[in-house]
Amino acid sequence: FNALVNENYWQDHGFDRDPFARDVPPAARYMTPRWKQHIELLQHLSIFSNFLLMISGAAGSGKTTLADSFLQQLDVEVAQHYVVANSEWNVDSLAGVLTDGFALNQPINPGMSSKEFLIEVMQALNQREQNSLLVIDNAHELDAETLAALCFLVKQQADIRKGLHFLIIAEPIILQKLAEISEKYTSADFCYNLELEPFDVPEVRNLLRTRLQWAGIQGNFPFTEAQTLDIQVRSIGNPALINQMAVLTL
């Protein structure tokens, strides 16, 4: 893609900045009505439920953007910790993320298993007055043992309202991985999955307008209805691809 475009194309159009850059501030984000509903729901469920919360979707579908917008609006009294997982994580990594991320001085007793230590960590967090939310991005990279340990912690929260809550961000393969551990981990009474859907044509148009306004557009909207439709079709409604197709169209 980078070989096909002039990286300073936006200057030729008189913009103040690249409207379709990969990393942009919140002011440049277009939040669809569905996304706003997702955020409101996450705000409630992250405090008053004990689901394993999940945002799933293809690469570039806006998972991390949605999660970041949610975290920025989350109640300030909720302790939050965001991490990006990778394939090298194990159960001990999960325990380390919890102790380091929430500033727990939790010693490991000799002979204690990883599962026993996780229970102690969870109990220590539950003794606090505030809610804690662990957000794990790229969770589809976790192996079966680490995913099973995560689900084990969620199960321990069954009757607790204030305590430790989990939000994972993952590509759709995560559902298969969870099902291979146990079918109940993909059931509606255990896992609440917000699966991101492709943008439709009006949403693509609004995304383009939001980005262009942030970039300081002067004059008329540069995309025709036919071009907007073409961008939606060629990008299959994927926000990251919408931005790329918009650049190519300009």
Side-chain angles (χ1 to χ4, degrees):
F1 171 75
N2 292 333
L4 297 177
V5 299
N6 172 11
E7 63 179 13
N8 296 319
Y9 77 95
W10 51 274
Q11 295 177 344
D12 298 334
H13 291 271
F15 301 144
D16 297 333
R17 55 186 69 88
D18 183 355
F20 303 108
R22 179 180 177 86
D23 297 315
V24 296
R29 297 173 181 170
Y30 168 62
M31 304 301 292
T32 72
R34 289 179 292 178
W35 281 25
K36 291 178 181 178
Q37 291 175 353
H38 290 335
I39 289 175
E40 291 177 359
L41 187 57
L42 285 172
Q43 288 175 327
H44 178 81
L45 293 177
S46 62
I47 297 176
F48 299 109
S49 83
N50 294 300
F51 292 118
L52 171 61
L53 301 175
M54 181 190 308
I55 300 174
S56 68
S61 61
K63 302 183 296 298
T64 301
T65 299
L66 177 62
D68 183 64
S69 298
F70 155 63
L71 292 175
Q72 290 189 26
Q73 299 180 42
L74 189 62
D75 190 325
V76 293
E77 295 184 358
V78 177
Q80 56 177 270
H81 184 50
Y82 170 90
V83 292
V84 179
N86 60 58
S87 58
E88 297 181 357
W89 270 36
N90 55 31
V91 178
D92 291 335
S93 304
L94 180 59
V97 163
L98 288 168
T99 54
D100 296 342
F102 295 110
L104 289 174
N105 185 18
Q106 198 73 22
I108 301 178
N109 296 326
M112 180 182 291
S113 69
S114 296
K115 183 175 289 188
E116 289 171 335
F117 180 66
L118 284 174
I119 292 175
E120 286 206 356
V121 169
M122 183 194 67
Q123 291 174 341
L125 285 170
N126 286 335
Q127 290 172 3
R128 294 183 172 183
E129 293 296 324
Q130 65 181 157
N131 284 291
S132 301
L133 176 67
L134 176 63
V135 182
I136 303 178
D137 204 341
N138 218 30
H140 53 274
E141 292 282 352
L142 298 177
D143 63 21
E145 183 181 11
T146 309
L147 272 176
L150 177 63
C151 292
F152 169 78
L153 284 178
V154 176
K155 286 195 302 180
Q156 304 308 303
Q157 297 286 84
D159 299 318
I160 300 171
R161 278 179 172 266
K162 286 194 172 183
L164 177 60
H165 303 267
F166 301 89
L167 169 64
I168 62 175
I169 305 164
E171 294 183 9
I173 189 65
I174 189 72
L175 295 172
Q176 178 182 330
K177 285 189 161 188
L178 287 170
E180 288 174 352
I181 299 170
S182 174
E183 289 290 344
K184 65 185 177 184
Y185 290 157
T186 58
S187 66
D189 59 352
F190 180 84
C191 175
Y192 196 95
N193 179 24
L194 294 174
E195 184 176 0
L196 298 190
E197 299 178 356
F199 280 27
D200 58 24
V201 173
E203 290 170 339
V204 170
R205 186 184 305 111
N206 287 331
L207 183 155
L208 298 176
R209 287 187 185 279
T210 300
R211 286 297 191 99
L212 290 168
Q213 289 169 355
W214 169 75
I217 184 175
Q218 301 292 327
N220 296 326
F221 184 65
F223 299 103
T224 66
E225 284 300 307
Q227 288 174 326
T228 303
L229 175 60
D230 183 61
I231 290 172
Q232 195 276 336
V233 171
R234 293 168 65 192
S235 68
I236 56 175
N238 180 291
L241 295 179
I242 290 169
N243 291 329
Q244 291 186 10
M245 293 303 105
V247 171
L248 290 175
T249 302
L250 287 176

